[in-house]
Amino acid sequence: MAMDPFSQLILTISVTSFLTFQWLFHRVSPWISIRISPGFLQLSDKQRVEWNSRTVSTFHALLVGLFCLHILVFDDAVNENPVWGDPTLVKINVAITTGYLISDLLLIFYYWKAIGDKFFVVHHLAALYAYYYVLGQGMLPYFANFRLLAEFSTPCVNQRWFFEVLGYPKSSRPNMVNGVAMAMVFFMVRVAVMPVYYGRMYAVYGTEAFYLVPWGGRVAWICSSICLDIMNIMWMHKIARGCYKVLRAAQRSKSGAPQENGKAD
């Protein structure tokens, strides 16, 4: 069966995305990092692998996150019919993410000693399973796109690691500013949006459009959303505690009070 032109385009975007993110990891990130941060040269081989991985992750998060925001604000077809609305732009965005996830999985397996993580493998495979229904059958475009909003928290999380590996004290101003920004952005794009997301899910539950979604699609949609949000709430609690401890330590330091021993997570 011949593939229609748009499906060919989506496949081409996914393959191009994969190759681009491989190129960014192996060539662009090391070249830029040496020029922007002299500390990059002092890192171990394992740290450089993770550095390049996180650099690529940040680029992907900003690219896909901004595209996602544009769709959420301006794509009326998807917003009016969240289950079966015209998925053209969402498919393009998801195709970019699909290429990135496959690229990142390959790097995780190849550099397992440096960046291997069973959780990320499960996360990537689960995401690819869910994206199959979006790319293959064009269903649930609003919900797939909405989930990508979470990418906006990734740059701050990565920056926290960059500061740590470069030796910035947790009480340093850049670290504290990034920590507060990370907590605020994480809350906004992963926790505060939950009522909106589940409100739309509840609104379509039981409708004709809902029952047209096959069981596999419903499992990928509902179960993965609930599991992911349980993890998001746990992470938010951990981030908030860590942010509070660092800010309190900085405040005690300013006031001249003795600091408590402890490490903020």
Side-chain angles (χ1 to χ4, degrees):
M1 184 177 177
M3 190 181 293
D4 67 86
F6 184 68
S7 296
Q8 290 179 350
L9 173 64
I10 293 302
L11 180 60
T12 301
I13 290 173
S14 297
V15 173
T16 303
S17 171
F18 169 84
L19 295 174
T20 299
F21 285 114
Q22 285 287 314
W23 175 64
L24 289 171
F25 175 88
H26 290 288
R27 295 286 183 263
V28 179
S29 176
W31 187 85
I32 291 178
S33 298
I34 290 171
R35 286 157 179 77
I36 291 180
S37 178
F40 179 77
L41 293 172
Q42 311 303 319
L43 301 179
S44 66
D45 289 342
K46 287 184 178 181
Q47 288 174 326
R48 289 188 192 186
V49 168
E50 184 162 358
W51 179 290
N52 293 329
S53 174
R54 288 179 180 271
T55 300
V56 172
S57 167
T58 295
F59 175 77
H60 164 261
L62 292 173
L63 172 65
V64 170
L66 290 171
F67 198 180
C68 163
L69 199 58
H70 170 82
I71 294 169
L72 202 61
V73 175
F74 297 108
D75 195 330
D76 294 334
V78 167
N79 289 322
E80 290 170 9
N81 186 352
V83 181
W84 293 103
D86 178 15
T88 301
L89 292 180
V90 175
K91 277 190 173 185
I92 292 172
N93 206 20
V94 168
I96 294 171
T97 294
T98 297
Y100 165 74
L101 290 174
I102 295 173
S103 171
D104 200 45
L105 270 176
L106 182 67
L107 294 172
I108 287 173
F109 287 130
Y110 189 79
Y111 297 105
W112 185 263
K113 290 184 179 180
I115 56 175
D117 189 314
K118 293 177 182 177
F119 168 78
F120 280 112
V121 171
V122 172
H123 171 273
H124 286 10
L125 291 175
L128 289 170
Y129 169 68
Y131 291 156
Y132 160 77
Y133 289 96
V134 182
L135 296 179
Q137 301 183 42
M139 61 183 66
L140 305 167
Y142 173 87
F143 299 99
N145 185 69
F146 200 100
R147 275 295 169 195
L148 287 174
L149 271 179
E151 289 296 332
F152 275 119
S153 65
T154 300
C156 289
V157 174
N158 287 338
Q159 190 59 49
R160 180 176 184 246
W161 184 88
F162 291 140
F163 283 144
E164 182 180 339
V165 81
L166 289 173
Y168 280 69
K170 289 191 175 182
S171 58
S172 65
R173 185 176 294 274
N175 227 329
M176 287 198 294
V177 169
N178 180 71
V180 172
M182 179 175 71
M184 291 175 62
V185 174
F186 194 98
F187 176 76
M188 286 189 292
V189 301
R190 290 179 182 257
V191 179
V193 296
M194 285 184 193
V196 178
Y197 182 84
Y198 288 103
R200 292 304 298 269
M201 184 185 288
Y202 179 76
V204 300
Y205 185 83
T207 63
E208 182 182 354
F210 173 83
Y211 286 116
L212 288 173
V213 177
W215 272 104
R218 293 182 215 170
V219 170
W221 170 30
I222 299 173
C223 294
S224 64
S225 294
I226 293 171
C227 291
L228 186 60
D229 283 328
I230 289 172
M231 287 190 290
N232 282 332
I233 291 170
M234 291 168 61
W235 285 333
M236 184 70 250
H237 179 252
K238 186 176 181 180
I239 289 171
R241 282 182 63 246
C243 187
Y244 172 75
K245 287 169 71 174
V246 170
L247 290 175
R248 196 176 77 164
Q251 186 62 37
R252 290 172 66 88
S253 178
K254 274 186 178 182
S255 65
Q259 296 188 46
E260 298 176 4
N261 291 326
K263 187 175 180 182
D265 292 325

